[in-house]
Amino acid sequence: MEMESDNNSRIAKNTIILYLRMIFILCVGLFTSRIILNTLGVEDYGIYNVVGGFVTIFAFLNGSMSTATQRFITFELARGELNRQRATFSTAIIIHLSLAAIIFILAETIGLWFVYNELVIPENRFYAAVWVYQFSIASCCLSVISLPYNAMIIAHERMSAFAYISIFDTILKLLIVYSLLIVPWDKLIVYSALLFTVQLLDRIIYGIYCRRHFAEAQFNWTFNKSIFKEMGNIAGWSIFGNLAGVCYTQGLNILLNMFFGPAVNAARGVAVTVQGVVLGFVNNFQMALNPQITKAYAVNNFHRMYALIYASSKISFFLLFLIALPIIVEAHTILTIWLKIVPEHTVWFLRLTLCIMLIETLANPLMISSQASGRVRVYQSVVGGLLLLILPIAYIVLKCGANPESVFVVHLVIAGVAQCARLFIVGRIINMSLRAYFRNVVWRIGLVCLMAVTFSFYLTNLFPNTTMCSMLVMTVIFIVNLGIIMTCGLTKNERGILVDKIMNLIPKCSRHV
């Protein structure tokens, strides 16, 4: 019981540390996004999003391997065998170096051909687009190589390291934005080159931190075949899910480019920027909780594992819903205030993206549980197969003459179907009661959504469509939504624990920041 209490305190502390980091990144990120869009212009901003994002298509292999890497590093840490931990880390590094080489070759052959022959890029900006592509390849390969080090920090739950390094990263990106205002060269090329430089510095810092703080983070050219086989088993079946993720992110981005040109990519880029900021609040909580789910499974503490799944699912949804609902209701006003230039289609892109996020935020605890068990074959085959349908169905819909928003509607519908399949499959894998999940999670989420959405749309009809009224409406929606979540979404025990943890940990965390 004492150990469980310590774990809960660690989760709360890590969450608060990550939230303080997120608030800083949020303020700087929204400010710099506006300057970048206005400095580059809609066309160049769209080119950067579609060309830079296209490279990540080849990283779906790394996405599959990252699932196995994170799981095995966390799993071995819970077992406490140092030699096994070192062997796992070294094997993971060798695998990711190999993946980086494969991605580089694919991107410089198949990928380069696609950029030259299929993407819709204005002729006078093609030279800059090729440079963006090359820097994006280099950045992608760095991300692949860095993953085992990031997994090590997460497994040890050293979230303060992420906070400090992320703040450093954000400050550098703020300097990049200001440099765009004064450099005499092509701003799109300079922006891509400087972002790569920042990522290279991040990679060096993460490597130094891990080597200094973790005894098992000592790389040597030792390749453990048995560990590779175990990792490969999970990674092999994870290909479906990661390929699907690439298809419904960058695949849809390419479809929008092919049918509507880079201006629509700029609209999606703005929506994705807001998505990343909002989702960061949820990811911070889940990042603090995920290692605990894996460790609970590793020591066969299934009662705690189920409790963590319920808490992660419900609280993650509420954290996102609390922020997303005011944005959905007043999306047009927010974008107008935030940006001088609001690309066409951005408002509905943003609203639909946030709705998709609300469904997908429930997926993470179930996915982590499946990975912890190691039984991912059925999960990845079914869920990944469903999500793979998004791209071909979206293509058919666009071929029939639908508007750009239709691809997000397709994504939303299939995401809902996939979540239902995910719940039933994982429930059987870990012997979790679906009745308990519906009682603890789905029922309370449904009740909160019904009450909050009804109130929000009623409130918007009471006030005129002015900026001041919109700000007032968003504030009231946030406060009322918070009240509904606290009273109807959380149990009395959860409310008491949440308030106690926050009151106890704020003074402690302030000393660490």
Side-chain angles (χ1 to χ4, degrees):
M1 183 65 69
E2 184 177 349
M3 182 178 294
E4 188 169 310
S5 177
D6 290 341
N7 288 334
N8 288 337
S9 296
R10 188 181 302 113
I11 291 170
K13 179 179 178 180
N14 285 335
T15 302
I16 292 175
I17 289 173
L18 290 170
Y19 266 85
L20 293 174
R21 158 234 194 198
M22 193 63 218
I23 291 172
F24 176 78
I25 295 174
L26 166 65
C27 296
V28 177
L30 292 178
F31 174 69
T32 55
S33 297
R34 169 178 175 167
I35 296 177
I36 291 169
L37 175 60
N38 292 329
T39 303
L40 296 181
V42 171
E43 186 175 77
D44 274 8
Y45 189 77
I47 290 172
Y48 178 80
N49 274 277
V50 69
V51 175
F54 175 69
V55 177
T56 60
I57 290 178
F58 299 104
F60 79 91
L61 292 171
N62 177 61
S64 304
M65 201 64 232
S66 69
T67 300
T69 300
Q70 183 66 66
R71 186 263 185 189
F72 274 91
I73 288 178
T74 305
F75 204 89
E76 295 302 334
L77 183 63
R79 287 181 169 178
E81 298 178 13
L82 183 59
N83 290 334
R84 178 83 175 177
Q85 292 169 21
R86 286 177 172 172
T88 300
F89 178 77
S90 294
T91 301
I93 289 290
I94 293 173
I95 291 171
H96 284 273
L97 285 170
S98 303
L99 286 174
I102 293 172
I103 290 170
F104 179 81
I105 293 170
L106 290 175
E108 291 290 7
T109 53
I110 299 173
L112 198 58
W113 174 88
F114 192 90
V115 169
Y116 270 87
N117 294 279
E118 298 297 331
L119 291 185
V120 178
I121 301 171
E123 186 175 350
N124 64 322
R125 300 304 295 146
F126 194 81
Y127 175 79
V130 172
W131 273 106
V132 170
Y133 183 71
Q134 295 299 329
F135 282 119
S136 298
I137 293 173
S139 297
C140 182
C141 291
L142 274 180
S143 297
V144 172
I145 298 169
S146 299
L147 196 138
Y149 294 95
N150 295 355
M152 185 70 70
I153 295 175
I154 294 173
H156 281 272
E157 301 179 63
R158 297 288 185 88
M159 302 311 169
S160 58
F162 275 114
Y164 296 136
I165 298 173
S166 296
I167 290 173
F168 173 74
D169 174 270
T170 303
I171 292 173
L172 289 180
K173 289 179 179 176
L174 181 61
L175 295 176
I176 288 175
V177 170
Y178 277 107
S179 70
L180 292 179
L181 301 175
I182 59 175
V183 295
W185 309 293
D186 190 297
K187 297 183 187 301
L188 184 57
I189 297 176
V190 171
Y191 180 60
S192 303
L194 292 178
L195 283 182
F196 165 72
T197 304
V198 171
Q199 188 156 352
L200 179 60
L201 289 174
D202 289 345
R203 163 67 187 85
I204 294 171
I205 293 171
Y206 277 119
I208 293 173
Y209 180 88
C210 288
R211 285 192 291 272
R212 287 186 176 180
H213 290 84
F214 309 132
E216 65 274 25
Q218 305 298 322
F219 172 69
N220 57 70
W221 291 96
T222 301
F223 188 78
N224 189 305
K225 291 183 179 179
S226 64
I227 294 176
F228 171 72
K229 185 176 180 181
E230 293 175 28
M231 284 186 174
N233 180 53
I234 292 180
W237 290 108
S238 298
I239 285 178
F240 286 99
N242 286 283
L243 181 59
V246 168
C247 287
Y248 67 67
T249 52
Q250 297 309 321
L252 291 182
N253 201 23
I254 291 171
L255 274 187
L256 291 173
N257 176 264
M258 294 171 66
F259 278 88
F260 303 104
V264 174
N265 293 121
R268 183 185 177 277
V270 172
V272 169
T273 298
V274 179
Q275 174 190 1
V277 170
V278 175
L279 194 58
F281 284 93
V282 179
N283 287 341
N284 286 334
F285 174 74
Q286 292 180 338
M287 188 185 297
L289 206 63
N290 289 346
Q292 292 291 329
I293 295 176
T294 302
K295 291 173 182 177
Y297 185 90
V299 296
N300 297 320
N301 190 348
F302 295 107
H303 175 74
R304 175 166 173 76
M305 181 180 176
Y306 299 149
L308 289 171
I309 291 172
Y310 303 150
S312 181
S313 301
K314 186 166 58 175
I315 297 176
S316 295
F317 184 93
F318 289 150
L319 287 172
L320 179 58
F321 187 66
L322 190 63
I323 303 168
L325 185 59
I327 296 176
I328 290 172
V329 172
E330 296 292 345
H332 185 270
T333 300
I334 292 172
L335 290 171
T336 302
I337 294 172
W338 175 34
L339 305 171
K340 291 181 180 178
I341 305 171
V342 181
E344 190 180 359
H345 306 291
T346 305
V347 172
W348 274 103
F349 280 13
L350 177 57
R351 286 171 172 164
L352 291 168
T353 297
L354 291 174
C355 290
I356 293 167
M357 289 166 58
L358 286 168
I359 294 177
E360 291 184 342
T361 193
L362 297 172
N364 181 75
L366 300 175
M367 180 179 65
I368 295 298
S369 303
S370 174
Q371 293 169 8
S373 72
R375 298 164 61 188
V376 298
R377 178 172 60 88
V378 175
Y379 174 88
Q380 292 291 350
S381 299
V382 175
V383 177
L386 285 170
L387 295 176
L388 278 171
L389 295 175
I390 294 174
L391 188 61
I393 293 176
Y395 177 79
I396 294 171
V397 168
L398 291 178
K399 266 293 188 182
C400 293
N403 59 28
E405 288 83 356
S406 62
V407 302
F408 294 91
V409 175
V410 171
H411 187 176
L412 179 64
V413 172
I414 295 182
V417 175
Q419 177 60 18
C420 293
R422 186 181 286 115
L423 177 59
F424 283 99
I425 293 170
V426 174
R428 295 185 63 181
I429 290 175
I430 62 175
N431 296 317
M432 182 181 68
S433 169
L434 296 184
R435 180 176 296 180
Y437 183 90
F438 274 88
R439 183 178 64 252
N440 287 284
V441 180
V442 178
W443 161 248
R444 290 188 177 273
I445 285 176
L447 182 62
V448 168
C449 287
L450 178 62
M451 297 174 66
V453 171
T454 301
F455 172 79
S456 298
F457 282 101
Y458 171 76
L459 186 65
T460 55
N461 292 325
L462 295 180
F463 294 92
N465 188 21
T466 64
T467 300
M468 289 300 297
C469 287
S470 294
M471 295 296 103
L472 176 62
V473 166
M474 285 192 293
T475 303
V476 174
I477 289 176
F478 181 89
I479 295 172
V480 172
N481 196 5
L482 178 61
I484 294 173
I485 289 171
M486 294 297 290
T487 55
C488 301
L490 303 176
T491 64
K492 182 179 180 180
N493 185 49
E494 289 169 341
R495 288 195 297 271
I497 292 174
L498 182 63
V499 172
D500 288 343
K501 293 297 182 185
I502 292 175
M503 295 303 295
N504 290 333
L505 288 168
I506 286 177
K508 297 179 183 179
C509 291
S510 63
R511 293 196 294 267
H512 289 276
V513 177

